[in-house]
Amino acid sequence: MNETLSIRWFLRDDTPCLPPPWPLRMERLVWEEPGGAALAILSAQLDSAAAADAAAWAADALRRPLVVDSPEGEACWNGFVARAEIHLGRAGAVFDLAQLANRVAAVYTPPVNEPPFTARPTRTDWAEDPLSLNRFGRKERLLQLGPEDPSRALSARAAYLQRHALPQAEPFLLARRAAPSLRLICRGWFSTLDWSYLWIEQGREGFLEPAQTPQTLGRLATSDALLAQSFQTDYGPFYLLEAGLNLKRNATPADGVVVEVCADQNGTPGAVLAGSSLPADALPGGRGWARFRFAEPPLLQAGLTYWLRFSRSGALNSSHYYVLYREGNNPYPAGRMMNWNGSAWADGSGGLNDLNFYILAGQSRRTRLLELTAPQSGGQFLKGVHLPADLPGVTAYPSDGLRPCGAELLDLLGSPDAAGRPLSVQVNAERELIVQALPAEDEARWLLQPDGRLTTPAGRPARLGERLAGEWARLSTGGGVRPLLLRRVVWTPQDGLRAVPAGNRRAG
């Protein structure tokens, strides 16, 4: 296969620039679903005198964009230099972005000196290197430290940043003696979604510290037949996914507890927006938290007051009822507790009482996807995001920021579109991220030959620049075999385009 490819080179700010002074040979191109352009490997033979110049060029080549054009002049692969190797005999030197980290935080578990001697993981603030950020873009790293003292976590963060803020030449040994050469490993832009983390602290509201005052529910019509707790957020709009209530059963009630989300009406609960209930046997006999999930989460707005209204599903009973917990020192300033006195809502504490409760907010999958791929998150190098797919459903509003944006994005797209179709996500040759439905099996456009080659049904070989990864192919031998979804496609100058198994990294 003697296809002639051309390569366009750019500076890190996307300004076109001259190619390197050595003739580079394209060894391999790889495309994947999900992702699109995934890998390109180029090499150039060097004479001994050029090796030092090549090393200097390699040190400056990292994160430079390049675009590969097909013989027809169509952009078919788009990515950046991720690793540069200089081979000299049986030794070499490598510059690798995989080790780069110019924004670092540490996740650790601080010591706790009180029972039960456990603590939730804590994350330090980010420390960053401005020079490296400006040169390479934002590449974050979370250090997972386990149990650690806060001061030692900060020291570990600082030390890691100092070591990894700028690429360093690392020596390595080769299995066989090799002529002087330069080898470039380039990655597609989809991989850079994993350079950043999305942390959203908002999305949880409430009063979680254990309150000390019991508050009965469901005993008497004139005091506790109905209880309510208001709340308000400074973020939104959001979907209310669930509400939590700290409570216990008293004796053996046989009904359950009902939680309703209500709009505000002149400072008291108004129109019901959603509801959820749990039977008594699903509620704790001793004090604990109960989670009430809303099958159809209501959409709530920032800056407006809403209410959680609590009742029992059966008749009032002065022996078998429920116990909630409250505090009277205004522990949740954005809301208050009220009770129904038989004829009106009452607040005997001047707005200082609050129940032990929480809410969990959610947002649409579409909104979360746009947050994950925004320039300030994972999409710092993308030129655009296009969502022709209809993405139903909601996801939790908070994000603990412990997983890269790319990993979160793939999880988010694990559910189908509104029509039940699996989703495809790729970065195209224009560096735009496209989320769309995968084609249906009966729309297979390609035939898969026994040697892995791809052709049209009419026999024309697949061309560089045509979408292959994420398409369906039928076996050329026919029969009743289902089409195969092409997850990984490789081009080499010897074999041209071939479909390979998705896990076959040696082929790509």
Side-chain angles (χ1 to χ4, degrees):
M1 305 293 293
N2 294 316
E3 296 174 287
T4 302
L5 306 180
S6 58
I7 304 173
R8 287 177 280 149
W9 295 87
F10 301 84
L11 301 177
R12 296 189 189 99
D13 63 0
D14 294 325
T15 301
C17 67
L18 294 173
W22 310 279
L24 284 161
R25 175 179 179 270
M26 184 65 70
E27 294 185 3
R28 185 165 297 153
L29 293 170
V30 180
W31 300 262
E32 294 180 345
E33 172 60 54
L39 176 71
I41 300 177
L42 303 88
S43 63
Q45 298 300 312
L46 306 171
D47 56 43
S48 298
D53 292 338
W57 182 89
D60 191 50
L62 295 182
R63 228 284 287 152
R64 284 194 181 187
L66 68 156
V67 175
V68 181
D69 291 328
S70 70
E72 294 75 27
E74 182 180 1
C76 63
W77 197 95
N78 193 338
F80 62 97
V81 178
R83 178 183 171 98
E85 300 175 358
I86 305 296
H87 295 183
L88 296 168
R90 297 184 64 90
V94 60
F95 302 86
D96 196 345
L97 281 181
Q99 305 303 317
L100 179 75
N102 51 33
R103 200 162 184 262
V104 180
V107 178
Y108 67 100
T109 304
V112 177
N113 299 318
E114 298 179 359
F117 302 106
T118 58
R120 297 185 63 181
T122 299
R123 195 198 72 178
T124 67
D125 291 334
W126 292 98
E128 58 188 40
D129 185 288
L131 173 64
S132 180
L133 281 166
N134 184 62
R135 181 176 299 176
F136 298 104
R138 184 179 60 257
K139 194 164 191 290
E140 297 175 340
R141 183 67 52 85
L142 278 182
L143 301 181
Q144 304 290 340
L145 299 181
E148 192 58 271
D149 180 83
S151 62
R152 292 174 61 87
L154 293 176
S155 297
R157 179 194 68 178
Y160 192 93
L161 179 63
Q162 184 177 21
R163 289 196 308 271
H164 296 276
L166 294 171
Q168 304 292 328
E170 296 289 342
F172 68 95
L173 295 175
L174 295 166
R176 297 186 300 273
R177 184 177 182 83
S181 62
L182 167 68
R183 191 168 188 259
L184 301 180
I185 291 87
C186 306
R187 300 290 178 187
W189 293 107
F190 189 81
S191 66
T192 63
L193 289 166
D194 280 337
W195 284 22
S196 297
Y197 298 79
L198 177 67
W199 183 50
I200 301 177
E201 190 174 18
Q202 299 168 323
R204 296 183 181 94
E205 295 284 321
F207 167 39
L208 299 178
E209 294 296 322
Q212 301 303 311
T213 306
Q215 170 61 58
T216 58
L217 172 66
R219 293 176 67 244
L220 303 172
T222 57
S223 61
D224 61 6
L226 297 172
L227 301 176
Q229 172 70 47
S230 64
F231 63 92
Q232 187 180 105
T233 70
D234 57 3
Y235 55 86
F238 66 89
Y239 293 92
L240 184 56
L241 300 183
E242 71 176 62
L245 191 59
N246 198 234
L247 79 170
K248 70 175 183 178
R249 302 190 308 267
N250 187 79
T252 56
D255 52 356
V257 171
V258 177
V259 177
E260 294 170 306
V261 186
C262 301
D264 182 76
Q265 184 176 343
N266 299 322
T268 62
V272 176
L273 306 176
S276 179
S277 63
L278 288 174
D281 59 8
L283 301 173
R287 182 175 182 175
W289 286 96
R291 302 174 66 180
F292 296 83
R293 297 180 174 90
F294 302 105
E296 297 184 8
L299 183 64
L300 308 186
Q301 303 296 322
L304 297 182
T305 296
Y306 297 93
W307 294 84
L308 297 175
R309 188 171 71 185
F310 309 105
S311 62
R312 65 185 304 170
S313 58
L316 301 176
N317 189 304
S318 60
S319 299
H320 303 275
Y321 52 89
Y322 304 93
V323 178
L324 285 56
Y325 296 89
R326 61 178 169 83
E327 205 65 84
N329 58 355
N330 198 27
Y332 177 69
R336 60 173 176 163
M337 173 200 143
M338 300 186 78
N339 68 293
W340 183 256
N341 65 12
S343 59
W345 287 102
D347 176 9
S349 69
L352 297 180
N353 271 334
D354 289 296
L355 290 170
N356 266 156
F357 83 103
Y358 72 81
I359 62 164
L360 176 62
Q363 59 184 180
S364 69
R365 279 206 295 163
R366 180 185 181 88
T367 299
R368 176 52 60 87
L369 186 149
L370 292 174
E371 287 184 339
L372 289 168
T373 57
Q376 65 271 23
S377 301
Q380 60 180 317
F381 302 118
L382 298 178
K383 301 296 186 182
V385 178
H386 299 286
L387 305 176
D390 184 6
L391 304 180
V394 296
T395 188
Y397 198 104
S399 175
D400 59 15
L402 297 180
R403 295 194 307 149
C405 291
E408 286 205 31
L409 176 67
L410 292 179
D411 278 356
L412 193 70
L413 298 178
S415 300
D417 70 0
R421 299 172 298 183
L423 293 167
S424 161
V425 56
Q426 295 192 16
V427 176
N428 65 14
E430 288 71 42
R431 219 191 291 179
E432 299 168 323
L433 185 133
I434 312 292
V435 176
Q436 59 189 346
L438 284 170
E441 287 187 30
D442 57 9
E443 298 174 1
R445 298 174 50 210
W446 302 100
L447 289 181
L448 179 61
Q449 304 297 328
D451 60 359
R453 289 184 303 112
L454 295 164
T455 68
T456 66
R460 175 182 66 79
R463 300 189 185 110
L464 287 166
E466 293 182 301
R467 178 184 164 103
L468 298 171
E471 295 287 335
W472 294 92
R474 297 185 184 277
L475 298 184
S476 62
T477 52
V481 181
R482 291 177 54 189
L484 173 72
L485 181 66
L486 302 176
R487 292 285 186 183
R488 186 173 172 86
V489 176
V490 175
W491 175 91
T492 62
Q494 300 84 10
D495 298 327
L497 286 164
R498 294 285 192 275
V500 300
N504 189 354
R505 299 297 171 183
R506 293 187 64 184

